[in-house]
Amino acid sequence: MPGAGRCPDCGSAELVEDSHYSQSQLVCSDCGCVVTEGVLTTTFSEESNLREITYSRSTGENEQVSRSQQRGLRRVRDLCRVLQLPATFEETAITYYQQAYRHPGIRTARLQKKEVLVGCCVLITCRQHNWPLTMGTICTLLYADLDVFSGTYMQIVKLLGLDVPSLCLADLVKTYCGSFRLFQASPSVPAKYVEDKDKMLSRTLQLVELASETWLVTGRHPLPVITAAAFLAWQSLQPAGRLTCSLARFCKMANVTLPYPAASRLQELVAVLLRMAEQLAWLQVLKLDKRSVVKHIGDLLQHRHMLVRMAFQDGSAGMETQEKEQQRQRQRQRKEEVGGSTSGSLPGKRPASPALLLPPCMLKPPKRSCPTPPISTVTGDENISDSEIEQYLRTPQEVRDFQRAQAASQAAVSVPNPP
Amino acid sequence: MLQGQHLPLWAKPALEALKKISLVGPEELSCLGSAGPPRIKRAVDKGQLHPSVAMERAPCLELYLDQCATQDGLVPALSPLFSPFVPYDVYTPNPSNPEMTLESHLEEIKETSDDFSSVDLIFLPDELTQENRNHTVIKSQHETEENSRTQNHQNKLPLLSKQDVELGFQGSSLSNPQAHLCPGPADSALPSPENPSPHTLPLSIAPMTPVAPASECSGIVPQLQNIVSTVNLACKLDLKKIALHAKNAEYNPKRFAAVIMRIREPRTTALIFSSGKMVCTGAKSEEQSRLAARKYARVVQKLGFPARFLDFKIQNMVGSCDVRFSIRLEGLVLTHQQFSSYEPELFPGLIYRMVKPRIVLLIFVSGKVVLTGAKERSEIYEAFENIYPILKSFKKG
């Protein structure tokens, strides 16, 4: 019997919950004495039969919506409206927030984390509906740190056990390029820089596909790649007037922040295009460089599948040929040192073998080789010599010196600067 | 004892081998008649079947052997008889393709009938088994190495499972079986057989190294990079005194409530707390971690505290390796979505949470793999062997 009360009249413990005209009462089954009645007020003797527990142990905490949760739910709705998301997204995001809030780790978290949680719920909703929203955008809107955001995001995905699909690159290209302010002439955008949206979009998409095929996208943030691709697409559509425009100026004109890695992505993409150009007969003779290749991007993209296959060899087979190449080069160097460069048997310049289709991090030479450590024969139970331990201990003299030095530095710190 | 009795076909090589180690005399061998399964034999006797044709009826042999097996419950015992190369079939609870085993083994018999010195000695009394165990172990090692190089063991693929690797570490008193499988780069990082298994093999079979066919073995051994261990010194410590008297200690109570101590050999760092608990990080092997922890305890002892060395436990091990080919992380996250987390906006690598063993792997596009969360070295090796075929399937972009 909950409440463990006793009847004040007969002292029996047999208390039964009964209702008298829909008012629940606690009645003693022996003598019929009404122990407690009513919900609105309780007498002192009645209260001794009630069981009181702390709020945190009651279910009140779960049933009520706390103020901070209400605030969080309001923030979720506001964020969805700001991003102009469909109505269904709002409901899903609200559900995720409520689900997350049930976990004690989230309920007792700091306000900063709860704020960031709002963004996480919206992001997960968008990802699940293939709506391209980047974490950077959300962090900017919430004035949040990407580190805090990433920690909360990973935690909540694990906590709720959600399946979050990857960012859809094609949709991201469309929304990101659509945000460029280059499609209408304005005071900041001269007429020759204005571009047709559809043409630019399609070419950017093709360039991003090419980048993804040639390992420039895996493991990297998608946005700089898209920026670089958009820039190349825009330049190639009217190279005559636009080759002089730099990436930074392009982004400024388009009213888009230039992501820092975009410059290096641009270099990589241009290098890939140059390799492809070497395979086209009518471009080989032109001896293109990183600027002039932009003029021919249209042609290169038209035949990109075939050119990529021709220009690059498979990474795995490539590793062996690369090693053989290096060996041959070393042998050639040795021959040159020994026999002089006048021997006719040395070939002049070997035709370049197809480049390796590998991510840039694998193509760069390793910064430092990590030799395998020698096999240690440590058993863990060896004797530890005293001298080895003594080397780590201070002599009494050193201890005194150290204490004196510490005291002196403390005194110097504590004395305020003379006025 | 064997006079007048026709032995089945599979017993003949066993007896030849036994003869080699001079346990069976030549007269016993001669009693082997036109051996064959009873059905075939009867057919041959009746003149219905030509003896040469009878030999080709190999599949019948499997059925016969299955019968024998069910009769005397010796299915496990049969497999080692045919091959010294797959002893751990014994332990698989479900010998999935016994017929296939036997078929492949039969082929082998025809080829290498001489190599069966490492034979199941279960028929012999224990003392004989004991004497010859070492004998057969040495021989089997040589044979394993020879045969793994010359022969094609693809038939054995389906029989080996993850359990084999585990058992290889538990049951074998030899060093890492993988070393035998893939000589080469594995040699430099062989784990030492630190804990001889307390329990012996359930069946008295000579411990032999399992062979995985070359297509399954990765040939790469992850290198341990960091070991984190804890130990209880079981006495309250005065951190100020430690920081004062030890040269290699730093103590900043406002920043962190522990003394940070470092030693040069093995190159490690320890966090020593006032409760007497200590965390030791930076060692490259379990033994080095233990030695380092003992050195720290000795330093604390020399400083005048009654430090002991209780409950040394390895809490975490980190390993890394390189598969040497590029990996399509986007593809991997699509097929293994329930285990993988790939957010290029946050981190360039893919985080793969393996369930068995419970290890977290960081997989990068360059093919480098970092494995962490292990309490035992074998978990890292097992996790890598599990992930390698998955990564290989994403090799071609």
Side-chain angles (χ1 to χ4, degrees):
Chain A
M1 183 66 214
R6 284 192 172 271
C7 172
D9 277 349
C10 63
S12 118
E14 301 291 320
L15 300 175
V16 181
E17 239 182 63
D18 196 10
S19 58
H20 177 72
Y21 298 122
S22 82
Q23 187 187 52
S24 67
Q25 296 174 337
L26 210 62
V27 182
C28 169
S29 59
D30 280 345
C31 66
C33 156
V34 176
V35 180
T36 66
E37 71 174 327
V39 185
L40 288 174
T41 58
T42 48
T43 61
F44 188 71
S45 59
E46 285 176 346
E47 276 176 10
S48 59
N49 291 305
L50 295 173
R51 195 166 74 151
E52 295 208 353
I53 52 174
T54 55
Y55 180 67
S56 60
R57 279 165 60 208
S58 74
T59 52
E61 213 177 23
N62 288 338
E63 285 157 17
Q64 284 179 353
V65 177
S66 67
R67 220 169 298 181
S68 70
Q69 190 179 1
Q70 284 173 5
R71 181 170 52 231
L73 294 173
R74 250 178 301 161
R75 294 282 293 151
V76 170
R77 289 206 175 90
D78 292 341
L79 193 59
C80 290
R81 263 174 234 151
V82 162
L83 291 168
Q84 293 173 340
L85 302 176
T88 46
F89 287 34
E90 210 174 287
E91 288 157 26
T92 323
I94 296 274
T95 324
Y96 285 146
Y97 195 87
Q98 284 168 336
Q99 272 177 17
Y101 220 83
R102 286 197 205 112
H103 293 262
I106 300 291
R107 208 165 38 226
T108 54
R110 289 194 184 149
L111 280 179
Q112 185 195 31
K113 194 160 180 177
K114 285 175 179 160
E115 183 69 19
V116 162
L117 183 65
V118 166
C120 293
C121 295
V122 173
L123 177 71
I124 294 172
T125 314
C126 290
R127 281 277 194 94
Q128 289 182 335
H129 294 262
N130 280 328
W131 189 278
L133 185 64
T134 56
M135 294 186 186
T137 315
I138 296 192
C139 288
T140 325
L141 285 172
L142 294 175
Y143 304 107
D145 200 10
L146 188 64
D147 298 328
V148 182
F149 186 87
S150 74
T152 315
Y153 174 77
M154 302 299 279
Q155 183 191 3
I156 204 69
V157 167
K158 204 170 158 192
L159 207 58
L160 298 178
L162 296 170
D163 250 346
V164 184
S166 304
L167 195 57
C168 180
L169 213 57
D171 293 333
L172 182 63
V173 170
K174 285 185 202 137
T175 34
Y176 187 57
C177 287
S179 73
F180 284 15
R181 297 256 169 281
L182 291 167
F183 311 123
Q184 279 166 348
S186 73
S188 54
V189 182
K192 61 173 176 164
Y193 288 167
V194 174
E195 189 49 69
D196 176 42
K197 186 170 174 180
D198 295 319
K199 273 197 264 177
M200 186 161 145
L201 253 174
S202 71
R203 196 162 272 204
T204 311
L205 264 170
Q206 288 175 347
L207 278 167
V208 170
E209 263 176 43
L210 175 67
S212 144
E213 208 181 302
T214 52
W215 295 101
L216 298 181
V217 169
T218 313
R220 273 101 170 264
H221 199 297
L223 221 58
V225 182
I226 301 176
T227 315
F231 175 62
L232 279 177
W234 173 79
Q235 266 191 336
S236 66
L237 285 167
Q238 272 184 43
R242 297 175 182 175
L243 271 178
T244 50
C245 183
S246 71
L247 179 62
R249 187 151 161 246
F250 167 78
C251 289
K252 204 165 155 200
M253 218 171 31
N255 202 16
V256 156
T257 45
L258 170 63
Y260 174 70
S264 105
R265 298 294 158 266
L266 184 64
Q267 297 305 318
E268 289 166 358
L269 201 48
V270 166
V272 165
L273 288 166
L274 276 171
R275 283 234 175 261
M276 284 164 67
E278 279 170 20
Q279 303 295 323
L280 275 181
W282 68 91
L283 292 180
Q284 258 174 12
V285 293
L286 290 176
K287 295 212 195 333
L288 297 169
D289 69 355
K290 61 183 173 118
R291 277 192 176 278
S292 43
V293 72
V294 177
K295 290 182 249 179
H296 306 280
I297 283 183
D299 291 337
L300 292 172
L301 286 177
Q302 205 175 1
H303 308 285
R304 64 182 182 277
H305 297 297
M306 184 195 71
L307 288 175
V308 167
R309 246 177 299 142
M310 283 167 59
F312 297 100
Q313 59 184 336
D314 202 8
S316 54
M319 291 288 257
E320 294 159 19
T321 52
Q322 195 186 37
E323 284 162 17
K324 279 185 212 154
E325 273 270 343
Q326 286 172 359
Q327 277 178 9
R328 265 185 241 124
Q329 279 178 9
R330 264 179 262 136
Q331 283 173 1
R332 232 184 302 143
Q333 279 172 6
R334 260 179 262 137
K335 268 194 225 166
E336 281 179 11
E337 285 164 24
V338 170
S341 53
T342 53
S343 84
S345 56
L346 269 181
K349 192 172 183 180
R350 296 180 73 255
S353 51
L356 301 163
L357 188 56
L358 288 175
C361 56
M362 287 178 90
L363 291 173
K364 285 184 235 167
K367 288 183 206 167
R368 48 191 168 132
S369 59
C370 308
T372 50
I375 305 169
S376 70
T377 50
V378 174
T379 59
D381 295 314
E382 285 114 337
N383 278 334
I384 303 169
S385 64
D386 277 347
S387 55
E388 194 188 341
I389 303 297
E390 297 288 332
Q391 71 175 311
Y392 294 121
L393 301 177
R394 287 200 175 111
T395 61
Q397 177 61 35
E398 284 175 349
V399 171
R400 278 191 293 263
D401 292 340
F402 184 70
Q403 273 176 321
R404 237 179 289 142
Q406 247 190 346
S409 71
Q410 290 232 332
V413 163
S414 57
V415 167
N417 287 327
Chain B
M1 63 161 182
L2 300 168
Q3 293 285 349
Q5 225 183 8
H6 287 292
L7 288 172
L9 184 65
W10 51 264
K12 183 172 177 192
L15 282 177
E16 305 242 43
L18 287 172
K19 182 193 171 194
K20 277 197 187 162
I21 46 182
S22 57
L23 286 166
V24 173
E27 61 282 352
E28 277 150 335
L29 268 179
S30 63
C31 79
L32 286 172
S34 56
R39 255 185 288 131
I40 292 182
K41 190 186 173 300
R42 266 181 258 124
V44 169
D45 286 348
K46 286 185 191 168
Q48 289 167 353
L49 199 60
H50 198 271
S52 56
V53 178
M55 285 305 293
E56 289 167 38
R57 297 253 174 120
C60 300
L61 189 56
E62 275 105 83
L63 295 169
Y64 166 72
L65 288 163
D66 280 339
Q67 281 177 22
C68 292
T70 49
Q71 277 163 18
D72 46 16
L74 273 180
V75 171
L78 289 174
S79 32
L81 191 64
F82 287 100
S83 165
F85 310 119
V86 195
Y88 291 91
D89 286 339
V90 175
Y91 306 116
T92 54
N94 209 3
S96 45
N97 294 327
E99 289 168 79
M100 203 160 135
T101 323
L102 298 168
E103 198 172 4
S104 62
H105 294 326
L106 280 172
E107 288 163 11
E108 265 199 279
I109 291 166
K110 287 163 195 162
E111 292 170 67
T112 59
S113 51
D114 293 334
D115 288 348
F116 283 94
S117 56
S118 51
V119 106
D120 181 25
L121 305 172
I122 202 167
F123 308 113
L124 302 172
D126 279 353
E127 60 214 345
L128 289 168
T129 322
Q130 210 55 28
E131 280 168 24
N132 292 298
R133 186 173 294 186
N134 298 331
H135 213 51
T136 53
V137 160
I138 297 163
K139 281 193 194 159
S140 75
Q141 266 184 302
H142 291 313
E143 278 151 7
T144 317
E145 284 178 3
E146 280 172 21
N147 285 307
S148 62
R149 277 177 218 140
T150 55
Q151 283 185 14
N152 212 355
H153 295 276
Q154 273 158 13
N155 289 341
K156 314 240 178 3
L157 244 176
L159 301 167
L160 285 176
S161 61
K162 294 171 215 166
Q163 298 166 347
D164 295 340
V165 181
E166 275 173 27
L167 292 162
F169 286 99
Q170 284 171 19
S172 172
S173 58
L174 306 169
S175 57
N176 188 356
Q178 285 189 336
H180 294 281
L181 304 175
C182 313
D187 285 342
S188 56
L190 283 178
S192 52
E194 356 155 6
N195 299 321
S197 56
H199 40 266
T200 52
L201 304 174
L203 289 174
S204 57
I205 296 170
M208 291 173 279
T209 57
V211 163
S215 55
E216 223 189 46
C217 168
S218 63
I220 306 168
V221 181
Q223 231 178 68
L224 286 180
Q225 301 291 352
N226 183 27
I227 313 270
V228 177
S229 57
T230 53
V231 74
N232 186 6
L233 301 176
C235 67
K236 292 274 171 272
L237 302 174
D238 180 359
L239 299 184
K240 271 196 164 43
K241 183 179 173 199
I242 294 177
L244 181 60
H245 288 268
K247 272 191 232 181
N248 54 346
E250 58 181 83
Y251 178 48
N252 193 347
K254 288 183 200 144
R255 211 175 69 195
F256 192 56
V259 164
I260 301 167
M261 198 182 280
R262 292 172 226 269
I263 57 172
R264 281 183 280 272
E265 182 53 47
R267 219 158 78 84
T268 49
T269 307
L271 301 173
I272 307 175
F273 294 85
S274 55
S275 61
K277 301 263 172 66
M278 183 171 81
V279 180
C280 173
T281 62
K284 297 276 190 217
S285 78
E286 303 92 316
E287 301 85 20
Q288 284 185 9
S289 190
R290 192 187 155 83
L291 180 63
R294 282 176 58 224
K295 289 191 182 175
Y296 288 115
R298 187 71 81 79
V299 170
V300 170
Q301 239 177 21
K302 283 234 183 278
L303 289 171
F305 298 96
R308 294 164 68 195
F309 196 76
L310 305 176
D311 310 325
F312 176 79
K313 186 180 176 205
I314 306 258
Q315 300 289 356
N316 186 27
M317 298 171 77
V318 180
S320 72
C321 58
D322 187 3
V323 299
R324 306 188 72 83
F325 52 80
S326 48
I327 303 167
R328 283 275 174 208
L329 300 178
E330 311 96 339
L332 182 57
V333 76
L334 277 176
T335 50
H336 290 78
Q337 185 148 43
Q338 62 272 50
F339 306 115
S340 332
S341 157
Y342 171 54
E343 296 289 339
E345 296 175 75
L346 296 177
F347 189 64
L350 186 147
I351 304 169
Y352 192 101
R353 291 180 197 276
M354 197 176 280
V355 171
K356 188 183 175 325
R358 223 174 127 248
I359 301 282
V360 173
L361 298 93
L362 301 175
I363 304 167
F364 295 90
V365 68
S366 58
K368 305 255 190 326
V369 180
V370 174
L371 307 99
T372 181
K375 291 268 194 294
E376 299 267 320
R377 190 187 278 252
S378 57
E379 289 177 10
I380 292 205
Y381 295 149
E382 194 188 335
F384 182 69
E385 288 304 316
N386 289 353
I387 202 76
Y388 189 71
I390 297 170
L391 296 180
K392 264 185 90 168
S393 63
F394 286 96
K395 193 169 169 175
K396 305 266 175 174

